Amino acid sequence: MPAEIKRTGMLLIISGPSGTGKGTLVKKLTDLDPSFRFSCSVTTRGPREGEIEGVHYYFVTEERYDELVAQNAFLEHATVHGHRYGTLRQPVEELMEQGYNVVLDIDPQGAISVMENASEYVSVFILPPSFDELRVRLHTRNTDDPVEIERRLNNARGEVQKLNRYQYAVINDNLELAFAQLQAIVNAEKQRTCRFHPTIFDT
Ligand code: ADP
Ligand code: 5GP
């Protein structure tokens, strides 16, 4: 980037039902595009096998979560599938001030809350190719028990109703195609004039 062009980071909201492939797409994006940083959420849910503190989530007690709510530490927070999840405000703001793009993987309640309060954001809803395929993916992922999977599938129907609150939608059928579509959205959004602060003519 030329030294005389400063950029403001983008707040990218990736949302949609559980099992649609949000995490898979977000990981590909952050692995391949060094301008992106993942916003690591706080949750009261217990860690799944392989999940790492501070990488996948900050795992906290109900009491600690309540403290963070009381301190207004969350940009948004919501109860999702019976557990509590929140996006920490400070790291998101700091990263964006440093010029990074920040990606949030959050549920539709949290996404709509951010959309109602943030002045600038890019929102993408990830759709599964079908309800049956969503069920298959949740079972294949093998991270949740059958009761939890049914709960997530039931919630998916209501979540998809919120689709038109978002700016973009991507159907994650073929992963490579879905990722190419996400990259196309992101690449266009990076070029919005609001992100550029040319200081070249400053005296
Ligand atoms: P989410 O973060 O939305 O809950 P994940 O990224 O964990 O979803 O994906 C759910 C499961 O589906 C995972 O096992 C993942 O490997 C798989 N998956 C993701 N995208 C695809 C795809 N396009 N085709 C088939 N399986 C997929
Ligand atoms: P999981 O338990 O499968 O990791 O996540 C369940 C749901 O919670 C997913 O839809 C995920 O996007 C959402 N989620 C994760 N972090 C946050 C967060 O900080 N805020 C909100 N509102 N939802 C989140």
Side-chain angles (χ1 to χ4, degrees):
M1 192 192 309
E4 64 274 13
I5 307 280
K6 283 198 286 183
R7 288 204 195 212
T8 303
M10 161 195 335
L11 185 61
L12 175 65
I13 304 167
I14 301 288
S15 189
S18 184
T20 43
K22 301 181 298 296
T24 305
L25 289 163
V26 165
K27 178 146 190 348
K28 273 175 94 68
L29 183 66
T30 51
D31 282 352
L32 292 173
D33 185 336
S35 75
F36 272 94
R37 290 286 183 275
F38 174 61
S39 163
C40 182
S41 294
V42 172
T43 185
T44 59
R45 154 166 98 57
R48 295 175 180 146
E49 202 183 316
E51 283 186 331
I52 301 163
E53 167 75 17
V55 175
H56 298 94
Y57 284 106
Y58 297 108
F59 298 98
V60 299
T61 59
E62 296 285 342
E63 292 70 27
R64 178 64 188 138
Y65 189 96
D66 286 337
E67 278 173 16
L68 290 166
V69 172
Q71 291 164 6
N72 196 26
F74 290 130
L75 186 65
E76 63 70 37
H77 61 98
T79 299
V80 191
H81 316 309
H83 300 288
R84 297 158 87 198
Y85 298 82
T87 303
L88 288 169
R89 186 190 304 280
Q90 195 182 339
V92 170
E93 289 179 351
E94 282 176 3
L95 285 165
M96 287 178 68
E97 276 162 25
Q98 290 164 26
Y100 286 108
N101 300 312
V102 178
V103 56
L104 313 181
D105 172 348
I106 59 177
D107 91 303
Q109 303 168 79
I112 289 167
S113 164
V114 175
M115 292 187 237
E116 286 173 348
N117 294 299
S119 53
E120 255 295 313
Y121 58 82
V122 178
S123 57
V124 185
F125 195 95
I126 309 297
L127 281 161
S130 68
F131 197 70
D132 285 345
E133 173 64 14
L134 190 59
R135 174 176 275 114
V136 168
R137 286 192 194 167
L138 283 171
H139 281 283
T140 311
R141 187 170 71 180
N142 204 22
T143 51
D144 302 289
D145 65 45
V147 174
E148 177 68 26
I149 289 176
E150 281 314 305
R151 179 179 5 196
R152 287 173 182 240
L153 286 169
N154 285 332
N155 291 342
R157 296 190 188 278
E159 289 172 335
V160 171
Q161 300 302 316
K162 306 212 169 88
L163 173 68
N164 65 5
R165 304 289 298 268
Y166 293 73
Q167 296 161 321
Y168 297 96
V170 167
I171 300 173
N172 180 21
D173 188 355
N174 176 289
L175 181 60
E176 293 313 316
L177 177 60
F179 184 63
Q181 289 171 342
L182 179 61
Q183 277 185 309
I185 293 164
V186 158
N187 287 337
E189 287 286 344
K190 279 183 182 177
Q191 304 312 122
R192 278 197 187 276
T193 51
C194 64
R195 307 198 201 290
F196 290 79
H197 302 281
T199 53
I200 191 167
F201 298 121
D202 289 2
T203 50

